[in-house]
């Protein structure tokens, strides 16, 4: 185990092995069963139906609105939507796993690039940014994501007439 | 988020993920992926680096229009300013074992309490 942990922790120029680190961390917390990440052999794929210059594109995040925090400090986990104009200055990210030692999330553009995407749309790289961005919580339950949250996001994207989506998980 | 991408794509809506957890996204399998090798939290670029953020979104747009098959991945050509960041996330300090075990006990108690109050 010690060698396994050492290998998982060794800094290098290789991409971080998050699944391995997460397994070891939760074992250290006393969880007896490892999380099983989703894994599929087949991947769906569809090309945009029209050129990018004619596409309305939407943004999707795993962050929550500041209002999601309950009085007891817990955070409501549900699909939500926000306006891109004006964009929210700040979002709530403390309930999501990210590297709180190495960086911060005070610049919303670093994880939900509304202004950058708006600028690229104005320059004609694509037709327009959808009027709403959408938030989808990171759930332990893959069943909930697949049967409740993802269909809800799809429905909201369609309501906005989005032709494609850029998904930015923290 | 990989599961959301798969659901949208299967319903006919093209997607691209911008993210930093390469192993998790590839393990799941997604249509298009811009890999940014940054600490988790800033998938679209370091805070206040509009130049990098713009380049990353442009890579995503390029994949939306140009990818020809699923599992198409591009790695953004940017390095995080501090090369030591990879060693920090989720590290296990042997001296912390007892504290982590207690933290786990607290979490389990909190989750049980929340389930009893909110049913989730």
């Amino acid at each position: 185990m010690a060698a396994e942990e050492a290998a998982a922790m060794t800094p290098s120029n290789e991409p971080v092995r998050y699944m391995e680190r997460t397994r070891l961390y939760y074992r250290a917390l006393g969880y007896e069963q490892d999380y099983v990440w989703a894994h599929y052999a087949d991947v769906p794929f569809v090309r945009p139906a029209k050129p990018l210059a004619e596409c309305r594109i939407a943004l999707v995040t795993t962050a929550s609105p500041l209002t999601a925090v309950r009085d007891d400090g817990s955070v409501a986990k549900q699909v939500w939507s926000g306006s891109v104009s004006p964009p929210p200055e700040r979002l709530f990210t403390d309930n999501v796993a990210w590297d709180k030692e190495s960086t911060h999330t005070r610049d919303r553009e670093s994880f939900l690039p509304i202004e950058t995407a708006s600028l690229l749309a104005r320059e004609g790289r694509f037709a327009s940014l959808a009027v709403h961005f959408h938030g989808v919580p990171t759930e332990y339950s893959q069943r909930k994501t697949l049967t409740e949250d993802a269909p809800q996001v799809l429905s909201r994207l369609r309501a906005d007439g989005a032709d494609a989506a850029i998904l930015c998980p923290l | 988020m990989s599961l959301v991408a798969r659901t949208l794509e299967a319903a006919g809506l093209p997607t691209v993920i911008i993210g930093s957890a390469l192993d998790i996204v590839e393990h799941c399998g997604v249509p298009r992926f811009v890999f940014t090798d940054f600490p988790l939290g800033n998938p679209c670029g370091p805070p206040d680096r509009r130049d990098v953020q713009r380049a990353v979104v442009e890579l995503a747009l390029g994949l939306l229009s140009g990818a020809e098959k699923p599992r198409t991945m591009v790695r953004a050509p940017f390095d995080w300013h501090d090369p030591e960041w990879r060693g920090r996330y989720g590290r296990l300090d042997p001296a912390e074992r007892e504290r982590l075990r207690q933290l786990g006990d607290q979490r389990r108690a909190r989750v049980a309490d929340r389930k009893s109050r909110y049913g989730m």
Side-chain angles (χ1 to χ4, degrees):
Chain A
M1 175 59 79
E4 190 183 358
E5 289 180 4
M9 292 302 121
T10 302
S12 72
N13 291 328
E14 295 301 309
V16 174
R17 288 178 282 173
Y18 287 105
M19 290 193 292
E20 192 174 351
R21 282 199 196 180
T22 303
R23 270 187 214 111
L24 295 172
Y25 182 76
Y26 278 92
R27 283 179 198 169
L29 287 180
Y31 289 91
E32 291 174 1
Q33 293 207 319
D34 291 336
Y35 185 73
V36 179
W37 277 269
H39 179 63
Y40 297 90
D42 297 325
V43 180
F45 184 79
V46 60
R47 290 183 176 80
K50 46 192 174 184
L52 220 49
E54 298 173 22
C55 283
R56 179 178 300 168
I57 295 178
L59 296 173
V60 182
T61 181
T62 52
S64 299
L66 297 176
T67 52
V69 185
R70 299 188 182 105
D71 290 342
D72 66 359
S74 65
V75 180
K77 280 194 164 187
Q78 58 193 28
V79 173
W80 68 287
S81 303
S83 172
V84 300
S85 182
E89 189 174 334
R90 298 281 294 276
L91 294 177
F92 185 76
T93 62
D94 286 1
N95 63 329
V96 186
W98 52 274
D99 193 340
K100 297 170 173 89
E101 285 184 78
S102 295
T103 190
H104 64 81
T105 56
R106 294 189 294 278
D107 174 21
R108 193 245 317 124
E109 289 286 300
S110 72
F111 62 91
L112 181 60
I114 295 172
E115 289 163 38
T116 296
S118 298
L119 181 62
L120 288 164
R122 285 199 299 276
E123 292 175 3
R125 290 281 282 119
F126 56 99
S128 62
L129 188 62
V131 294
H132 297 106
F133 68 87
H134 307 287
V136 57
T138 303
E139 289 283 357
Y140 180 86
S141 166
Q142 294 165 23
R143 182 201 55 75
K144 180 172 183 294
T145 300
L146 286 169
T147 63
E148 298 178 28
D149 293 351
Q152 179 65 234
V153 172
L154 175 63
S155 164
R156 293 180 186 216
L157 290 169
R158 288 207 163 129
D160 279 349
D163 300 300
I166 300 176
L167 283 51
C168 312
L170 280 147
Chain B
M1 195 65 106
S2 299
L3 296 176
V4 177
R6 294 175 55 91
T7 300
L8 301 180
E9 196 90 16
L13 198 131
T15 63
V16 55
I17 286 183
I18 299 174
S20 300
L22 175 69
D23 60 340
I24 295 173
V25 174
E26 291 202 322
H27 185 74
C28 183
V30 299
R32 304 169 191 78
F33 178 39
V34 177
F35 169 51
T36 51
D37 197 12
F38 302 145
L40 297 183
N42 306 137
C44 303
D48 304 315
R49 284 295 304 270
R50 292 290 181 271
D51 55 339
V52 176
Q53 294 164 6
R54 178 188 170 103
V56 168
V57 175
E58 286 187 311
L59 283 174
L61 294 172
L63 276 192
L64 272 178
S65 60
E68 308 239 318
K69 56 181 178 22
R71 295 186 189 273
T72 301
M73 188 271 276
V74 295
R75 180 176 179 150
F78 303 104
D79 294 320
W80 193 253
H81 59 86
D82 172 10
E84 299 302 312
W85 71 268
R86 289 186 184 82
R88 284 194 287 265
Y89 184 79
R91 68 175 176 269
L92 291 174
D93 180 347
E96 295 275 283
R97 288 220 176 273
E98 186 50 36
R99 190 187 67 79
L100 284 172
R101 175 60 100 154
Q102 289 173 4
L103 190 66
D105 290 342
Q106 290 166 12
R107 284 178 71 141
R108 284 182 283 277
R110 207 164 52 234
V111 168
D113 176 58
R114 203 171 293 160
K115 270 186 182 159
S116 70
R117 278 194 288 163
Y118 300 111
M120 53 182 277

